[in-house]
Amino acid sequence: MKSVPLMRMMTGKIPDTNPQHYLRPRAVGRAALRKLSLNYPDPVNWIHQEQKLNDRTIAPGDYPIQPTSVASEFWPELQPVFWLAEFEAPRDQFRLFQNPTRPLPWYLHGSTSEHYSHLVHPLSVPYFLSRDMKGVRWRSPRFLATPMASHRTVLVWKPRSKIPPFSVKTSVNVWIGGLNRNVRLSEIRHSVGMSSLLARADLDRHGILLLDDPIGLVHKQTNAGLLARDTPWKLGAGEEIVPVFSLCASPPGSRPRIVDLVTSSGLEPTAWVDKFIFTPLIYQAYFLGMTEGVVGEMHEQNILMELRDGIPTKRFWHRDLGGFLLERALRRLAGKGFEGLAAGIHERHLGRDYAAFHTVLRMFLQESIGHAVGHALRNHFAIPDDSFAGLYNVRVRKLQDAIFSADGIRTTKNFEKDLDRYRKRKLAGCTWRWKSLKEALRDW
C-alpha cells in the first residue's frame, strides 16, 4: 500500500492503514455479538435481519448495488465485527452541526472538554491519514462495530461495558452503487437540517418512528465526517424492527417472511399489501408532505416495519434524513418556516427547489417497494403484474381528495395536477383533519 504523509503535530500511535488489521476473527466476532445480545437482544436481532436477510434484488434499469469495491470480509452478509479507529482534535478544528433540541452524544466527547472525538471506519483510515489535519491525536480503539445493510452505517458498542449500543453513519472512502460513500459536509448539513425541521413535529401519533440523524461532525481539513443516528436499544414486549427488504428476502431453503405474514392473516395478498404497507405509508407520506413540507425516500432499505407479536402495527421506522427532500411550496402552505434550523445550516443547504412529492413517492413507494414486495409474493401467490400500481393510484387519489376537501379545494381526476394547483395558492393553511393514523384509517 502506498505510504502516506504523517500528520502535523501528531501525537499518539499512528493507526494501521490495512483494513484487515481491524477485523476480528469470525468466531470472535460472533462471540462478541452473542455477548452483546445478553443485555441488548433487540438491536442484535435487528442487525441480524439487516445483515443476513439483505436482499439486493433491484428493479430493471436501476444501477447495480453490489459493493464490488469493498473486500468481501466487510460485507454485511458475513456479519463482520471490527474495531473502529478514532482520533481527537481541538474543537475549533471541527465543524459541528447539532439539532438544537438534542444533546451531544457522549462518544463524541474527547479526552478533555476542549476536544471532540471522531470515529473512523477501517476502510477510511488511509484517507484520514493522507489529509493535512492539525492537532490530531489517534486514540487506542475503544469500540467494536458491525455494519447494518449499508456498509457505512454501523452498530457500535463498547466491550466489557453495559452502556447501550449506538449507531453512526461513518465515512467509507470507496465507491459503492456509483457513489463515493464518504459522509460529506453537504450531507451532514442536509441531514441535521431535516432533523431540526422535524424536531417538534408530532410524528408518533401518525405512525412515524424516526431513526433521527441529529448530530454531524467533520474535521475542517477533510470532507468526510460522520452522523450520529438514533438506535432504539430496548423495544416493547413482543416488538420487532424489520426492514422491508428483510421481509422480502428469501433465506436459504425457506420462503420470505412476508409470505408467512400474508398467509397467517387470512387476507388476499393484494388486500394485505394495501392494509399493512401502502395505506399507512401513503398516509405518512402525505402527513410529512402537507404538514412539514418534506418528502422521504420510501424504499425498502429506508423503511422498517414495526411488528408486535408477529403482526404489523402499521407503524414504520423511517431512516436516512440525507435522502429527505424539501418541498418549499408545501412547507409555506403548512405555515412552517426555517427558524428552528441548527446553527450553521441555512435553507439553501436543504436542496434545490422543485415539486418532488408525487415523483419521489411514486418512484420509491410504488415502484421500489412495490417491485420488491411483488417479486417476493409472485412466487407464492397469483398476483397480476399491475395490481399494486392500480392500488397505489386509488389510495393516493382518495387520500388527497379527502385532504383537499377539508379546505374546500376542488379536485379532478388528475391528482398530480391538483397538487400542482395547490402549490400555487397564496394563502397558507393546510387543515389536517386527523389527530392520528388510527383515526385516519377509520375515515379513509
Side-chain angles (χ1 to χ4, degrees), residues 54-59 62 65-66 245 248-249 300 368 371-372 375:
N54 188 352
D55 189 355
R56 298 185 186 273
T57 299
I58 58 175
D62 285 355
I65 57 175
Q66 294 289 341
F245 67 73
C248 299
E300 58 272 26
S368 189
H371 171 81
H375 182 81

PDB file of all heavy atoms in Angstrom, residues 54-59 62 65-66 245 248-249 300 368 371-372 375:
ATOM      1  N   ASN A  54     -30.420  -9.454   3.719  1.00  0.00           N
ATOM      2  CA  ASN A  54     -30.143  -8.238   2.966  1.00  0.00           C
ATOM      3  C   ASN A  54     -30.332  -8.534   1.483  1.00  0.00           C
ATOM      4  O   ASN A  54     -29.394  -8.882   0.764  1.00  0.00           O
ATOM      5  CB  ASN A  54     -28.711  -7.782   3.253  1.00  0.00           C
ATOM      6  CG  ASN A  54     -28.399  -6.430   2.660  1.00  0.00           C
ATOM      7  OD1 ASN A  54     -29.182  -5.869   1.903  1.00  0.00           O
ATOM      8  ND2 ASN A  54     -27.245  -5.896   3.005  1.00  0.00           N
ATOM      9  N   ASP A  55     -31.582  -8.430   1.016  1.00  0.00           N
ATOM     10  CA  ASP A  55     -31.920  -8.773  -0.360  1.00  0.00           C
ATOM     11  C   ASP A  55     -31.463  -7.659  -1.297  1.00  0.00           C
ATOM     12  O   ASP A  55     -31.912  -6.522  -1.184  1.00  0.00           O
ATOM     13  CB  ASP A  55     -33.432  -8.971  -0.469  1.00  0.00           C
ATOM     14  CG  ASP A  55     -33.844  -9.540  -1.816  1.00  0.00           C
ATOM     15  OD1 ASP A  55     -32.973  -9.680  -2.693  1.00  0.00           O
ATOM     16  OD2 ASP A  55     -35.033  -9.828  -1.980  1.00  0.00           O
ATOM     17  N   ARG A  56     -30.589  -7.972  -2.232  1.00  0.00           N
ATOM     18  CA  ARG A  56     -30.068  -6.964  -3.164  1.00  0.00           C
ATOM     19  C   ARG A  56     -30.811  -6.972  -4.496  1.00  0.00           C
ATOM     20  O   ARG A  56     -30.303  -6.473  -5.498  1.00  0.00           O
ATOM     21  CB  ARG A  56     -28.562  -7.176  -3.384  1.00  0.00           C
ATOM     22  CG  ARG A  56     -27.734  -7.023  -2.106  1.00  0.00           C
ATOM     23  CD  ARG A  56     -26.252  -7.116  -2.397  1.00  0.00           C
ATOM     24  NE  ARG A  56     -25.466  -7.112  -1.164  1.00  0.00           N
ATOM     25  CZ  ARG A  56     -25.050  -6.017  -0.543  1.00  0.00           C
ATOM     26  NH1 ARG A  56     -25.376  -4.842  -1.035  1.00  0.00           N
ATOM     27  NH2 ARG A  56     -24.339  -6.094   0.567  1.00  0.00           N
ATOM     28  N   THR A  57     -32.031  -7.530  -4.523  1.00  0.00           N
ATOM     29  CA  THR A  57     -32.831  -7.515  -5.744  1.00  0.00           C
ATOM     30  C   THR A  57     -33.163  -6.079  -6.121  1.00  0.00           C
ATOM     31  O   THR A  57     -33.550  -5.276  -5.269  1.00  0.00           O
ATOM     32  CB  THR A  57     -34.144  -8.295  -5.542  1.00  0.00           C
ATOM     33  OG1 THR A  57     -33.831  -9.651  -5.217  1.00  0.00           O
ATOM     34  CG2 THR A  57     -34.996  -8.263  -6.800  1.00  0.00           C
ATOM     35  N   ILE A  58     -33.011  -5.743  -7.379  1.00  0.00           N
ATOM     36  CA  ILE A  58     -33.303  -4.381  -7.844  1.00  0.00           C
ATOM     37  C   ILE A  58     -34.277  -4.441  -9.007  1.00  0.00           C
ATOM     38  O   ILE A  58     -34.429  -5.464  -9.668  1.00  0.00           O
ATOM     39  CB  ILE A  58     -32.027  -3.633  -8.275  1.00  0.00           C
ATOM     40  CG1 ILE A  58     -31.296  -4.391  -9.391  1.00  0.00           C
ATOM     41  CG2 ILE A  58     -31.101  -3.410  -7.088  1.00  0.00           C
ATOM     42  CD1 ILE A  58     -30.100  -3.651  -9.954  1.00  0.00           C
ATOM     43  N   ALA A  59     -34.951  -3.325  -9.230  1.00  0.00           N
ATOM     44  CA  ALA A  59     -35.874  -3.222 -10.353  1.00  0.00           C
ATOM     45  C   ALA A  59     -35.087  -3.078 -11.649  1.00  0.00           C
ATOM     46  O   ALA A  59     -33.965  -2.567 -11.656  1.00  0.00           O
ATOM     47  CB  ALA A  59     -36.807  -2.026 -10.159  1.00  0.00           C
ATOM     48  N   ASP A  62     -32.387  -0.092 -12.657  1.00  0.00           N
ATOM     49  CA  ASP A  62     -31.693   0.522 -11.529  1.00  0.00           C
ATOM     50  C   ASP A  62     -30.194   0.243 -11.635  1.00  0.00           C
ATOM     51  O   ASP A  62     -29.762  -0.753 -12.220  1.00  0.00           O
ATOM     52  CB  ASP A  62     -32.207  -0.027 -10.197  1.00  0.00           C
ATOM     53  CG  ASP A  62     -33.566   0.534  -9.823  1.00  0.00           C
ATOM     54  OD1 ASP A  62     -34.044   1.417 -10.550  1.00  0.00           O
ATOM     55  OD2 ASP A  62     -34.139   0.082  -8.823  1.00  0.00           O
ATOM     56  N   ILE A  65     -26.045  -2.513  -7.160  1.00  0.00           N
ATOM     57  CA  ILE A  65     -25.668  -2.144  -5.788  1.00  0.00           C
ATOM     58  C   ILE A  65     -24.725  -3.169  -5.161  1.00  0.00           C
ATOM     59  O   ILE A  65     -24.495  -3.145  -3.963  1.00  0.00           O
ATOM     60  CB  ILE A  65     -26.920  -1.968  -4.901  1.00  0.00           C
ATOM     61  CG1 ILE A  65     -27.772  -3.247  -4.911  1.00  0.00           C
ATOM     62  CG2 ILE A  65     -27.735  -0.774  -5.350  1.00  0.00           C
ATOM     63  CD1 ILE A  65     -28.969  -3.165  -3.959  1.00  0.00           C
ATOM     64  N   GLN A  66     -24.188  -4.065  -5.971  1.00  0.00           N
ATOM     65  CA  GLN A  66     -23.192  -4.983  -5.435  1.00  0.00           C
ATOM     66  C   GLN A  66     -21.930  -4.194  -5.074  1.00  0.00           C
ATOM     67  O   GLN A  66     -21.362  -3.513  -5.929  1.00  0.00           O
ATOM     68  CB  GLN A  66     -22.848  -6.057  -6.466  1.00  0.00           C
ATOM     69  CG  GLN A  66     -23.997  -6.992  -6.796  1.00  0.00           C
ATOM     70  CD  GLN A  66     -24.344  -7.939  -5.663  1.00  0.00           C
ATOM     71  OE1 GLN A  66     -23.538  -8.159  -4.760  1.00  0.00           O
ATOM     72  NE2 GLN A  66     -25.548  -8.483  -5.693  1.00  0.00           N
ATOM     73  N   PHE A 245     -36.858  -4.773   3.133  1.00  0.00           N
ATOM     74  CA  PHE A 245     -36.084  -5.681   2.278  1.00  0.00           C
ATOM     75  C   PHE A 245     -35.864  -7.022   2.962  1.00  0.00           C
ATOM     76  O   PHE A 245     -35.761  -8.055   2.295  1.00  0.00           O
ATOM     77  CB  PHE A 245     -34.757  -5.060   1.829  1.00  0.00           C
ATOM     78  CG  PHE A 245     -33.752  -4.829   2.917  1.00  0.00           C
ATOM     79  CD1 PHE A 245     -33.056  -5.873   3.511  1.00  0.00           C
ATOM     80  CD2 PHE A 245     -33.465  -3.544   3.337  1.00  0.00           C
ATOM     81  CE1 PHE A 245     -32.113  -5.648   4.502  1.00  0.00           C
ATOM     82  CE2 PHE A 245     -32.532  -3.312   4.329  1.00  0.00           C
ATOM     83  CZ  PHE A 245     -31.848  -4.369   4.916  1.00  0.00           C
ATOM     84  N   CYS A 248     -38.827  -9.263   2.483  1.00  0.00           N
ATOM     85  CA  CYS A 248     -38.941  -9.767   1.109  1.00  0.00           C
ATOM     86  C   CYS A 248     -37.835 -10.738   0.730  1.00  0.00           C
ATOM     87  O   CYS A 248     -37.897 -11.355  -0.341  1.00  0.00           O
ATOM     88  CB  CYS A 248     -38.952  -8.597   0.132  1.00  0.00           C
ATOM     89  SG  CYS A 248     -40.339  -7.462   0.359  1.00  0.00           S
ATOM     90  N   ALA A 249     -36.816 -10.864   1.563  1.00  0.00           N
ATOM     91  CA  ALA A 249     -35.679 -11.719   1.233  1.00  0.00           C
ATOM     92  C   ALA A 249     -36.031 -13.185   1.426  1.00  0.00           C
ATOM     93  O   ALA A 249     -36.843 -13.548   2.278  1.00  0.00           O
ATOM     94  CB  ALA A 249     -34.478 -11.352   2.102  1.00  0.00           C
ATOM     95  N   GLU A 300     -37.266   0.168   0.172  1.00  0.00           N
ATOM     96  CA  GLU A 300     -37.282  -0.962   1.105  1.00  0.00           C
ATOM     97  C   GLU A 300     -36.094  -1.011   2.053  1.00  0.00           C
ATOM     98  O   GLU A 300     -36.113  -1.770   3.022  1.00  0.00           O
ATOM     99  CB  GLU A 300     -37.401  -2.286   0.339  1.00  0.00           C
ATOM    100  CG  GLU A 300     -36.317  -2.560  -0.682  1.00  0.00           C
ATOM    101  CD  GLU A 300     -36.646  -1.988  -2.060  1.00  0.00           C
ATOM    102  OE1 GLU A 300     -37.415  -1.011  -2.164  1.00  0.00           O
ATOM    103  OE2 GLU A 300     -36.087  -2.510  -3.042  1.00  0.00           O
ATOM    104  N   SER A 368     -40.336   1.014  -6.096  1.00  0.00           N
ATOM    105  CA  SER A 368     -39.270   0.276  -5.435  1.00  0.00           C
ATOM    106  C   SER A 368     -39.825  -0.731  -4.428  1.00  0.00           C
ATOM    107  O   SER A 368     -39.599  -1.936  -4.534  1.00  0.00           O
ATOM    108  CB  SER A 368     -38.303   1.246  -4.744  1.00  0.00           C
ATOM    109  OG  SER A 368     -37.158   0.568  -4.285  1.00  0.00           O
ATOM    110  N   HIS A 371     -42.110  -3.107  -6.268  1.00  0.00           N
ATOM    111  CA  HIS A 371     -41.367  -4.131  -7.016  1.00  0.00           C
ATOM    112  C   HIS A 371     -40.865  -5.224  -6.081  1.00  0.00           C
ATOM    113  O   HIS A 371     -41.018  -6.413  -6.372  1.00  0.00           O
ATOM    114  CB  HIS A 371     -40.185  -3.494  -7.744  1.00  0.00           C
ATOM    115  CG  HIS A 371     -39.251  -4.493  -8.354  1.00  0.00           C
ATOM    116  ND1 HIS A 371     -39.493  -5.094  -9.567  1.00  0.00           N
ATOM    117  CD2 HIS A 371     -38.078  -5.011  -7.897  1.00  0.00           C
ATOM    118  CE1 HIS A 371     -38.507  -5.944  -9.841  1.00  0.00           C
ATOM    119  NE2 HIS A 371     -37.638  -5.902  -8.851  1.00  0.00           N
ATOM    120  N   ALA A 372     -40.253  -4.834  -4.949  1.00  0.00           N
ATOM    121  CA  ALA A 372     -39.678  -5.817  -4.032  1.00  0.00           C
ATOM    122  C   ALA A 372     -40.752  -6.729  -3.439  1.00  0.00           C
ATOM    123  O   ALA A 372     -40.582  -7.951  -3.359  1.00  0.00           O
ATOM    124  CB  ALA A 372     -38.916  -5.096  -2.919  1.00  0.00           C
ATOM    125  N   HIS A 375     -42.162  -8.993  -6.195  1.00  0.00           N
ATOM    126  CA  HIS A 375     -41.178 -10.030  -6.533  1.00  0.00           C
ATOM    127  C   HIS A 375     -41.216 -11.158  -5.504  1.00  0.00           C
ATOM    128  O   HIS A 375     -41.125 -12.344  -5.857  1.00  0.00           O
ATOM    129  CB  HIS A 375     -39.781  -9.406  -6.580  1.00  0.00           C
ATOM    130  CG  HIS A 375     -38.701 -10.361  -6.956  1.00  0.00           C
ATOM    131  ND1 HIS A 375     -38.423 -10.714  -8.258  1.00  0.00           N
ATOM    132  CD2 HIS A 375     -37.822 -11.057  -6.185  1.00  0.00           C
ATOM    133  CE1 HIS A 375     -37.424 -11.566  -8.283  1.00  0.00           C
ATOM    134  NE2 HIS A 375     -37.039 -11.793  -7.044  1.00  0.00           N
TER     135      HIS A 375
END
